[in-house]
Amino acid sequence: MKTFLCLLTVLSACVTLVSMQMVGGTSDLKAPDETVMQVTASVRPAVEERLGKRFSIFQPVAYKSQVVAGRNFFVKVHVGNDEYIHLRIYQNIQQQIQLSNVQTGHNRESNIEYF
């Protein structure tokens, strides 16, 4: 019986590890949650400064994340008309947020890839 319980515990741990996001890999595409909405809003001034323009719309529509020494968010943002941009936002383990990169020229169908 002890062997069975031990095996069951190990199997359960393996299933849990497989279902978790692998460190270094990006997650599946997801709809933005409250955290992503807040993180994206916090870098809006830096995005507008970097691109040299103000956006009347700045709405996250999808994202992927990556566990590193902290977390990278790869966010697709609708910025008006048929325009979308992709942001890479880094949140360190102290929860500090910084804009890492911006890609322009995307549309609604553009895949979010590592950049």
Side-chain angles (χ1 to χ4, degrees):
M1 185 66 168
K2 281 185 176 181
T3 304
F4 176 74
L5 289 176
C6 189
L7 182 60
L8 188 58
T9 302
V10 169
L11 183 59
S12 176
C14 288
V15 169
T16 301
L17 286 174
V18 168
S19 67
M20 292 172 51
Q21 179 182 331
M22 282 181 37
V23 174
T26 57
S27 69
D28 292 334
L29 190 65
K30 300 176 189 175
D33 57 18
E34 189 60 35
T35 298
V36 171
M37 301 292 266
Q38 290 173 356
V39 166
T40 303
S42 75
V43 299
R44 181 178 181 165
V47 172
E48 291 177 336
E49 183 178 328
R50 187 175 293 188
L51 297 180
K53 60 174 158 179
R54 302 265 181 249
F55 299 106
S56 59
I57 297 172
F58 199 81
Q59 182 65 42
V61 296
Y63 81 100
K64 291 183 177 183
S65 62
Q66 177 189 36
V67 176
V68 290
R71 193 170 186 193
N72 281 321
F73 295 94
F74 299 91
V75 186
K76 179 185 292 192
V77 180
H78 180 224
V79 292
N81 299 318
D82 293 328
E83 254 189 288
Y84 292 80
I85 61 175
H86 289 182
L87 308 178
R88 185 173 78 213
I89 304 164
Y90 174 66
Q91 183 178 38
N92 67 22
I93 56 177
Q94 290 82 26
Q95 305 301 306
Q96 296 167 319
I97 297 166
Q98 71 180 38
L99 177 66
S100 297
N101 206 345
V102 179
Q103 289 184 333
T104 59
H106 288 284
N107 59 45
R108 185 159 185 78
E109 289 77 35
S110 297
N111 290 325
I112 299 174
E113 302 294 339
Y114 180 91
F115 62 98

